[in-house]
């Protein structure tokens, strides 16, 4: 279970994005609401198993380099706690489970969640085998994974997704990917390129500039979503969602501060799971504010 990295499953909250905003349109008492929720949860489960399948393959591919890494050497496969054959069998089982759940998540006559989950696993397999060694390409593959999560949730919920949400997701995912690279370079120092080729192609100056630009883009596109006329018309919420923007700004700035102060900001999942109290409280407050804006007064 530890080799499957269940703590990374928190990233699949992006699968729920379409559902959360769709419920404002559907209404909690609508006849199809329960069905949509169940299908979206199946989709989230598919991404959990799909991600674990790739993590197992990734750790098999990187087993030798992980043994030289100060923290990755403690991963079960690198530490010899899980054998390579067992890891590969587990990966195949996870792929099978992911495809079954994706099939259950697909609404009758709707867009196929199976195709989206398959595209996610295939792109991440290419990432593990080769693409993670190519600077910038590696970040875009990570961002693609987040976009596919949002699209899969939309397909499962049979709900449209705003182009502003897709753009915001893209910029946020790129922001997190480059923050992770910045944290890795800080941790490994001069030996960074020896652990992963692409780290030698990045510079701290480039990563600082990229994360600053991407944070701004994420804030702007999310803000545009909150004040978009289509958003107001869909949810009957006027422009009240704009009050959730400060939470997004605070969260991005807090995360960027942790990265640049080298305080473990390279992992958003660890931040959400209690790595930084201010980050966790802000994330919870943003979620409560979104739900309050969508359902208040209805």
């Amino acid at each position: 279970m530890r080799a499957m990295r269940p703590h990374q499953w928190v990233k699949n909250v992006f699968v729920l994005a379409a559902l959360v905003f769709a419920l404002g349109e559907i209404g909690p008492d609508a006849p199809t609401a329960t069905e949509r929720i169940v299908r979206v949860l199946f989709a989230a489960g598919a991404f959990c198993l799909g991600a674990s399948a790739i993590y197992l393959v990734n750790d098999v591919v990187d087993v030798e380099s992980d043994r030289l890494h100060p923290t990755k050497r403690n991963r079960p496969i690198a530490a010899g706690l899980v054998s390579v054959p067992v890891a590969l069998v587990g990966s195949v089982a996870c792929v099978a489970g992911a495809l079954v759940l994706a099939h259950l998540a697909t609404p009758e006559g709707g867009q196929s969640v199976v195709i989206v989950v398959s595209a996610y696993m295939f792109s991440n397999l290419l990432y593990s085998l080769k693409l993670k060694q190519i600077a910038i390409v590696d970040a875009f593959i990570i961002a693609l994974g987040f976009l596919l999560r949002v699209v899969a949730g939309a397909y499962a919920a049979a709900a449209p997704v705003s182009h502003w949400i897709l753009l915001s997701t893209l910029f946020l995912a790129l922001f997190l990917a480059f923050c992770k690279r910045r944290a890795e370079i800080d941790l490994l120092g001069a030996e960074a390129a020896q652990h992963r080729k692409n780290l030698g192609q990045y510079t701290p100056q480039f990563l600082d500039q990229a994360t600053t630009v991407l944070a701004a883009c994420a804030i702007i596109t999310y803000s545009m979503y909150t004040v978009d006329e289509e958003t107001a018309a869909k949810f009957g919420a006027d422009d009240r969602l704009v009050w959730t923007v400060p939470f997004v700004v605070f969260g991005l700035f807090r995360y960027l501060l942790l990265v640049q102060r080298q305080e473990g900001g390279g992992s958003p999942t660890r931040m959400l799971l209690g790595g930084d109290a201010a980050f966790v409280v802000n994330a919870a407050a943003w979620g409560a504010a979104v739900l309050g804006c969508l359902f208040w007064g209805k």
Side-chain angles (χ1 to χ4, degrees):
M1 281 302 297
R2 190 154 61 89
M4 291 170 63
R5 302 193 211 176
H7 65 279
Q8 297 286 1
W9 293 350
V10 70
K11 295 177 182 177
N12 295 318
V13 69
F14 279 81
V15 178
L16 309 179
L19 177 63
V20 171
F21 290 102
L23 286 178
E25 178 183 19
I26 299 166
D29 299 323
T32 59
T34 299
E35 294 178 5
R36 296 187 186 206
I37 291 172
V38 170
R39 286 200 300 266
V40 169
L41 291 177
F42 277 138
F47 272 91
C48 289
L49 291 180
S52 291
I54 302 303
Y55 284 135
L56 290 169
V57 171
N58 180 80
D59 289 355
V60 168
V61 173
D62 291 348
V63 63
E64 295 302 328
S65 61
D66 283 354
R67 286 170 178 165
L68 301 176
H69 194 278
T71 58
K72 293 181 180 180
R73 64 187 179 188
N74 296 319
R75 290 177 175 174
I77 297 174
L81 301 177
V82 176
S83 68
V84 169
V86 169
L88 293 178
V89 170
S91 179
V92 172
C94 286
V95 169
L99 294 177
V100 170
L101 290 177
H103 175 72
L104 294 174
T106 302
E108 185 176 352
Q111 300 286 349
S112 176
V113 179
V114 175
I115 293 177
V116 181
V117 172
S118 298
Y120 169 80
M121 291 190 291
F122 180 70
S123 62
N124 277 273
L125 179 62
L126 293 180
Y127 172 87
S128 295
L129 296 178
K130 180 65 178 178
L131 296 181
K132 67 182 177 182
Q133 303 296 345
I134 305 175
I136 300 181
V137 172
D138 61 330
F140 272 86
I141 294 297
I142 293 173
L144 174 63
F146 283 93
L147 285 174
L148 290 174
R149 287 177 172 95
V150 175
V151 171
Y155 283 178
V161 179
S162 168
H163 57 276
W164 288 118
I165 286 294
L166 291 176
L167 286 172
S168 183
T169 300
L170 171 65
F171 293 131
L172 176 61
L174 287 172
F175 168 82
L176 295 175
F178 284 130
C179 280
K180 183 178 181 180
R181 296 293 176 259
R182 183 67 163 88
E184 289 174 335
I185 289 177
D186 288 336
L187 175 64
L188 299 173
E191 299 179 356
Q194 299 177 20
H195 289 274
R196 184 178 293 180
K197 181 180 178 181
N198 68 327
L199 293 180
Q201 303 172 49
Y202 287 118
T203 65
Q205 294 78 14
F206 166 79
L207 292 171
D208 287 342
Q209 291 174 352
T211 51
T212 300
V213 169
L214 289 166
C217 289
I219 291 170
I220 291 172
T221 50
Y222 179 79
S223 300
M224 291 301 296
Y225 172 76
T226 64
V227 298
D228 186 47
E229 292 181 0
E230 182 181 344
T231 302
K234 180 184 294 185
F235 303 120
D238 301 320
D239 58 354
R240 70 183 69 155
L241 275 173
V242 75
W243 294 104
T244 66
V245 172
F247 298 105
V248 173
V249 177
F250 178 89
L252 289 172
F253 284 3
R254 179 65 181 175
Y255 192 77
L256 195 57
L257 177 64
L258 293 173
V259 170
Q260 296 193 3
R261 285 170 52 181
Q262 302 179 29
E263 295 184 16
S267 174
T269 54
R270 296 193 186 282
M271 292 298 100
L272 285 172
L273 293 175
D276 182 75
F279 189 81
V280 173
V281 170
N282 180 72
W286 171 83
V290 168
L291 293 176
C293 288
L294 293 181
F295 296 111
W296 177 71
K298 290 195 172 185

